[in-house]
Amino acid sequence: MYEMIRLIALFCVFLGLPVSVVIYFYFYRKYTKPLADTFQFLQERQYINSDDYLFYDRLGLPGFAHRVLLMKKILSGKATTTKGKIILSPEVIQLITSSHNFSWIKTFYKMTIFVAFLMLLLLLMVATGK
């Protein structure tokens, strides 16, 4: 019985990880431009320093998750950077959200949590395997 449950869990992990990579690539292709435009807008008005996100912007696909997390923190008013805390006025946050729809960030964050759960499950299965 234990081996059957283990096999089903392993199947779910190995099915879930490629599906999550495809979804991650979809988010990257669809939302990288609005995200870059918003960071450019914030940099032009000197709300943020380009050093805070430029490294992750140049990474491309691997740095996308960090840029999304930074935008999530900026929109919630909790962003921290290398030079301190980014605190934007509600008017600026309203301007950002009116120019681009960032409702997808919650879905992306949930998908990231799901992938972390799958990786933890895989690690647990490898550690307890025979």
Side-chain angles (χ1 to χ4, degrees), residues 31-125:
Y31 297 114
T32 193
K33 178 76 170 122
L35 200 58
D37 291 345
T38 304
F39 279 121
Q40 184 67 29
F41 170 80
L42 292 172
Q43 181 191 6
E44 286 172 357
R45 287 168 181 67
Q46 299 189 2
Y47 290 116
I48 63 172
N49 188 355
S50 66
D51 297 336
D52 296 330
Y53 74 94
L54 192 59
F55 172 73
Y56 297 101
D57 187 39
R58 289 189 180 157
L59 278 178
L61 184 64
F64 181 70
H66 177 76
R67 290 182 288 148
V68 171
L69 182 61
L70 182 60
M71 183 55 66
K72 181 180 184 289
K73 287 181 177 183
I74 287 173
L75 293 176
S76 66
K78 302 176 188 172
T80 58
T81 64
T82 56
K83 303 223 183 221
K85 201 165 182 62
I86 297 175
I87 300 177
L88 299 178
S89 66
E91 295 84 20
V92 175
I93 293 174
Q94 181 67 27
L95 184 61
I96 290 171
T97 56
S98 67
S99 64
H100 297 290
N101 182 11
F102 287 112
S103 61
W104 58 271
I105 290 179
K106 287 182 183 179
T107 307
F108 183 82
Y109 186 72
K110 287 177 184 177
M111 186 200 65
T112 305
I113 298 295
F114 176 70
V115 169
F117 171 74
L118 286 177
M119 295 303 287
L120 183 65
L121 183 63
L122 182 63
L123 181 67
L124 182 68
M125 290 174 62

